[in-house]
């Protein structure tokens, strides 16, 4: 039973445009959500997070939006750069002492 | 400032062989985790340790054992390797306030079981 789902395995975007990566979850107990970025042959690195008391969190070119009623979150990257090409994982947890449950990942390709 | 160190980086095992994957962190984190990454499956939690002296099962614990040797080290053991355990294994650690810092991951161990 996949509690965190990323239904798009891949996404291709032109440099300078917006990249939108989507994530859905089924467990209503989740109250913290994180995005990770992963380059080949490296471990995932933490990108940005949001708690369920907010609906938006921004950090430079990266913004995460949370729609609790739809159990949906998205990561916006504006403007997209070729160095953003990587696999992006969405993850969720119930309380900060809990364990992270990851989605399947979306491979983003930003074309020059 | 090493972060999370995993050894070995690559390993090939024959079916039925055993091995231990090592993980150490130097950030004084309380919690440590073992994940496996498979194509189309994302990262799945095998075992975790919320603090020194405790371990708990994750989503896919069958065929694995763990040891939290001390606060720094958390090892993953495969007693009798099977081809289904071919995967990339990641160790991670975290402070208690995960929201601000996330988990810190190692660079992974690529394991092939033939």
């Amino acid at each position: 039973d996949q509690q965190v789902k990323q239904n798009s395995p891949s996404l291709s975007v032109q440099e300078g445009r917006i990249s939108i990566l989507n994530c859905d979850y089924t467990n209503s107990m989740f109250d913290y959500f994180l995005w990770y970025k992963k380059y080949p042959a490296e471990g995932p690195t933490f990108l940005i997070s949001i708690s369920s008391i907010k609906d938006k969190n921004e950090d430079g070119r990266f913004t995460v939006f949370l729609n609790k009623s739809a159990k949906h979150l998205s990561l916006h990257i504006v403007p997209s750069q070729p160095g953003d090409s990587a696999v992006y994982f969405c993850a969720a947890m119930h309380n900060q002492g809990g364990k992270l449950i990851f989605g399947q990942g979306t491979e983003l390709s930003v074309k020059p | 400032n090493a972060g999370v160190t995993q050894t070995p980086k690559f390993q090939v095992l024959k079916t039925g062989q055993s091995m231990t994957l090592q993980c150490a962190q130097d950030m004084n984190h309380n919690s440590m985790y073992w994940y496996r990454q498979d194509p189309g499956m994302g990262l799945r939690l095998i075992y975790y340790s919320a603090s020194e002296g405790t371990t708990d099962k994750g989503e896919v614990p069958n065929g694995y054992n763990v040891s939290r040797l001390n606060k720094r080290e958390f090892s993953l053991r495969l007693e009798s390797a099977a081809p289904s355990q071919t995967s990339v294994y990641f160790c991670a650690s975290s402070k208690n306030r995960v929201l601000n810092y996330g988990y810190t991951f190692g660079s992974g161990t690529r394991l092939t079981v033939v």
Side-chain angles (χ1 to χ4, degrees):
Chain A
D1 180 30
Q2 193 83 29
Q3 297 185 70
V4 179
K5 300 178 186 178
Q6 294 176 258
N7 292 317
S8 297
S10 63
L11 175 68
S12 183
V13 170
Q14 208 67 30
E15 181 179 6
R17 300 288 188 120
I18 185 171
S19 295
I20 300 176
L21 296 97
N22 294 305
C23 178
D24 298 294
Y25 61 96
T26 58
N27 189 338
S28 58
M29 298 295 288
F30 288 146
D31 47 14
Y32 297 100
F33 304 90
L34 291 80
W35 284 93
Y36 278 79
K37 178 179 181 178
K38 185 184 179 304
Y39 292 118
E42 294 184 10
T45 55
F46 171 61
L47 195 55
I48 192 169
S49 63
I50 189 167
S51 75
S52 58
I53 63 172
K54 295 186 174 183
D55 54 18
K56 177 182 173 181
N57 189 27
E58 212 169 338
D59 184 2
R61 295 185 298 113
F62 302 91
T63 303
V64 56
F65 295 91
L66 175 62
N67 182 334
K68 282 187 64 180
S69 60
K71 295 191 180 67
H72 176 84
L73 63 156
S74 60
L75 175 68
H76 292 210
I77 307 173
V78 183
S80 301
Q81 300 173 352
D84 295 329
S85 297
V87 177
Y88 289 79
F89 290 99
C90 165
M93 67 192 309
H94 171 51
N95 75 52
Q96 291 202 64
K99 49 193 186 295
L100 275 176
I101 304 299
F102 284 81
Q104 306 97 310
T106 296
E107 184 171 9
L108 174 66
S109 176
V110 180
K111 307 290 187 186
Chain B
N1 190 12
V4 177
T5 303
Q6 291 184 236
T7 54
K9 293 193 182 304
F10 302 94
Q11 185 72 48
V12 178
L13 288 179
K14 293 183 179 178
T15 298
Q17 286 185 317
S18 63
M19 80 162 293
T20 300
L21 282 65
Q22 307 287 354
C23 175
Q25 52 92 9
D26 61 1
M27 297 170 287
N28 201 35
H29 286 171
N30 287 324
S31 302
M32 298 186 74
Y33 314 85
W34 276 104
Y35 285 86
R36 61 178 287 175
Q37 184 193 5
D38 302 290
M41 303 294 288
L43 290 155
R44 292 182 293 169
L45 182 64
I46 305 171
Y47 270 94
Y48 67 104
S49 171
S51 61
E52 187 178 354
T54 69
T55 60
D56 285 289
K57 295 179 180 179
E59 302 166 86
V60 289
N62 291 344
Y64 305 95
N65 285 301
V66 289
S67 295
R68 184 72 183 268
L69 304 169
N70 47 56
K71 191 171 186 179
R72 290 187 64 247
E73 299 172 287
F74 189 38
S75 63
L76 179 72
R77 183 159 179 85
L78 288 72
E79 289 291 352
S80 178
S84 61
Q85 293 178 305
T86 293
S87 187
V88 181
Y89 292 85
F90 290 100
C91 177
S93 68
S94 71
K95 295 184 180 185
N96 290 336
R97 293 197 63 77
V98 175
L99 191 66
N100 295 335
Y101 307 103
Y103 290 4
T104 301
F105 281 85
S107 57
T109 295
R110 185 173 293 273
L111 175 67
T112 302
V113 183
V114 297

